[in-house]
Amino acid sequence: MKTKSFYMMVSIVLAFTLVLTACSSGNSGKGSNGGNNGGESSANPSAAAEQGENQPEKPTEITIMLPLNIAETPPDTIKNEVEKLTNTKLTYQFFPADTYEEKLNTSFATGSLPQVTYLKNQATFVQMKEAIREGQFWEIGPYLSEFPNLSKLKEEILNNTKVDGKLYSLYIGRPLARQGMIYRKDWADKLELQAPANVDELYNMLEKFTTGDPDGNSQQDTIGLADRNDLVYGAFKTVAAWFGTPNSWGELDGQLQPEFVFPQYMDTMDFMKKVRENKWMNVDFAATSKTDQVSLFTSGKAGVYIGSMQDVNSLVKDLVKNVPDAVVDVHSMVAGPDGKFAAWAIPGYNNVALFPKSAIKDEAELKSILAFFDKMMTPEVANMMYWGQDGVHYTVQDNKAKATENQELTEREVKGFKDSVIGEPETNGMYEGYHDLPARIHAEQLIVENEKIAVHDPTSALDSATFTQKGTELQELIKDATYKYIYGSIDKAGFEKAVSDWKKRGGDAIIEEFNAAYSKQ
């Protein structure tokens, strides 16, 4: 009996010893530092903290909504690389640009906007200002100084995006004045024409490109100008600037007035009307899409394209497929009747990103999202999103990004993300583009020159409640009247009646409100 009790006692002691050993081993595995005793390290807060620091930080999850300017949603090639560089898990909600405003409005009305919401353009930003004033979006201005890269954004452009003096958005930077003309230099040389020094010479070029058989086939099958149904990014606004028209608004008799009450606007309409009546352009331009406008130029039918000079690469690429010997150049220094040069300027951005309060619960979450954008504004991330993968979508030459010849691949995989990059090369450090096409090199030089003669919209940073509410609708009235005048379906009196209607339906209030805001600057 004693022997049995002895063995039972030994068994209990051994079991208890094993439990203590296991506990000691467990503590040591969780908290020991080098050769320290497990019990001591488990009670050591600094050791536990150090172990926590070694744990990988959980990726920040961010959902982003933005317009898609290509036919199909891009694959995850670039997104995956950006996630690695920024320690994020990104969900992109792409919607076609053509219907983006509708989707934006529906998502806002149902409270389903994601954490990061890109607008479509400056016009949709104006429309969203009332919601911003109502407190639907986070004010981010006070936080920018906490982020070294976001704080580099240009103050003058940030000011153009403020609402009642407060900053709610991050901007996608763009050159101030890219507009000019792309033209067939081989046609000009054949007809002994120089790049037009003024609007009269431009008129003459359009005539000669139509009537002078510039393609040498002994048929009158060419036109001078290819234009489209866009009074801003088509030919009209650029030609209007050359005629001396203000950029959207200007001072007249000591007061801000809309561009279409200035005599230079009427002069521009007269110019376009004569060009159309003489059939020196596509006479159905008001119903012509950009795709069809481009086709007129690249097929060899039209000799002048007025718009962004940076479009020259794609135009030349497609033109030489049809006309291998074609030579193209760009030009922007076209003087008006007063002998002065001018180029209309954008406010330094073409879109912004907003941060809805319905999707971002608190300040900490907002800061974590802003931290992602701060990382976006590093050369490594900005280059990935704007240019793509080095060696795949571009190569570095002379410290610039040279796009691959496989533009279809780049457009499919990169374009969707490129359109969301915050800032510009001066602020985010990404590569400038390398170009070997002489016309594109010339275009970049002229864009710099254009900034010296840029005409700014004085209302860019001003607010008008009536303009926010009715501006788009009223602008359609003027747009319609402008087309009708150029087409000859109304005369000067008819256009002036449209202006009078614009004023009665809210324009007078817009003028008053903009001037009140302007006087406070």
Side-chain angles (χ1 to χ4, degrees), residues 26-311:
N27 287 339
S28 176
K30 289 180 181 178
S32 72
N33 184 6
N36 288 344
N37 175 274
E40 291 177 351
S41 66
S42 66
N44 187 339
S46 62
E50 182 176 336
Q51 182 65 26
E53 288 175 3
N54 293 330
Q55 295 295 321
E57 185 179 345
K58 184 179 178 182
T60 302
E61 296 186 13
I62 306 174
T63 302
I64 302 169
M65 173 178 167
L66 69 168
L68 184 65
N69 293 294
I70 52 177
E72 297 179 2
T73 299
D76 289 343
T77 309
I78 301 302
K79 180 182 84 79
N80 292 340
E81 294 299 320
V82 172
E83 287 179 335
K84 294 175 188 175
L85 292 170
T86 60
N87 192 33
T88 54
K89 182 174 177 55
L90 304 173
T91 300
Y92 281 92
Q93 299 176 350
F94 289 102
F95 297 99
D98 290 345
T99 57
Y100 191 73
E101 288 174 272
E102 180 181 344
K103 178 62 181 178
L104 188 65
N105 291 334
T106 300
S107 298
F108 176 72
T110 56
S112 57
L113 290 175
Q115 295 155 298
V116 180
T117 301
Y118 283 84
L119 303 186
K120 182 180 179 181
N121 49 34
Q122 295 168 33
T124 52
F125 181 45
V126 170
Q127 295 168 24
M128 199 62 73
K129 283 187 176 181
E130 194 57 38
I132 292 173
R133 289 192 179 92
E134 292 172 355
Q136 301 292 327
F137 298 92
W138 282 92
E139 181 189 355
I140 64 169
Y143 304 109
L144 292 197
S145 61
E146 300 179 26
F147 299 94
N149 299 311
L150 290 178
S151 61
K152 296 176 185 176
L153 288 168
K154 295 181 179 179
E155 190 67 27
E156 63 272 24
I157 300 177
L158 290 175
N159 287 337
N160 285 338
T161 67
K162 287 182 177 179
V163 178
D164 298 336
K166 297 179 180 180
L167 183 69
Y168 297 84
S169 60
L170 297 176
Y171 71 82
I172 301 173
R174 288 294 181 269
L176 288 175
R178 297 179 292 175
Q179 309 306 111
M181 59 182 286
I182 300 169
Y183 71 100
R184 289 288 297 274
K185 189 176 185 303
D186 54 331
W187 285 11
D189 290 344
K190 181 177 185 294
L191 299 172
E192 298 182 344
L193 298 172
Q194 301 295 319
N198 53 53
V199 289
D200 289 336
E201 291 186 12
L202 173 62
Y203 185 84
N204 183 56
M205 174 178 276
L206 300 181
E207 176 186 4
K208 292 296 191 292
F209 276 7
T210 306
T211 64
D213 189 26
D215 58 359
N217 67 355
S218 302
Q219 298 178 40
Q220 192 167 323
D221 57 356
T222 59
I223 57 174
L225 174 67
D227 198 16
R228 68 178 185 266
N229 57 350
D230 190 333
L231 292 178
V232 178
Y233 295 102
F236 187 84
K237 192 172 180 69
T238 297
V239 174
W242 292 339
F243 268 93
T245 309
N247 184 0
S248 300
W249 288 75
E251 283 197 43
L252 184 66
D253 299 328
Q255 192 178 47
L256 286 182
Q257 293 286 344
E259 61 184 352
F260 47 81
V261 305
F262 287 75
Q264 294 91 337
Y265 191 95
M266 181 65 68
D267 293 341
T268 308
M269 290 196 298
D270 285 334
F271 178 91
M272 297 294 291
K273 186 172 187 283
K274 286 189 291 184
V275 171
R276 182 183 177 276
E277 285 177 346
N278 287 312
K279 299 182 179 179
W280 299 341
M281 68 182 297
N282 49 315
V283 296
D284 61 344
F285 78 99
T288 301
S289 67
K290 182 176 181 179
T291 300
D292 290 337
Q293 175 202 21
V294 166
S295 180
L296 285 170
F297 189 88
T298 59
S299 66
K301 181 176 176 61
V304 176
Y305 172 103
I306 298 177
S308 170
M309 292 184 288
Q310 292 179 330
D311 288 344

Side-chain angles (χ1 to χ4, degrees), residues 440-484:
R440 180 57 188 270
I441 295 171
H442 192 194
E444 294 301 320
Q445 293 168 345
L446 287 176
I447 289 170
V448 174
E449 293 302 309
N450 275 357
E451 291 197 16
K452 300 174 184 177
I453 56 171
V455 178
H456 297 271
D457 178 358
T459 66
S460 291
L462 303 181
D463 290 310
S464 159
T466 307
F467 184 80
T468 301
Q469 181 183 5
K470 298 182 177 180
T472 302
E473 168 197 337
L474 291 176
Q475 191 58 36
E476 283 297 311
L477 191 158
I478 297 300
K479 177 181 175 181
D480 186 53
T482 300
Y483 281 135
K484 286 181 177 178

Side-chain angles (χ1 to χ4, degrees), residues 391-411:
V392 178
H393 304 102
Y394 76 98
T395 56
V396 179
Q397 190 163 335
D398 295 341
N399 201 35
K400 294 183 178 182
K402 182 179 182 180
T404 178
E405 292 183 5
N406 190 349
Q407 286 301 294
E408 289 79 8
L409 174 69
T410 299
E411 179 149 310

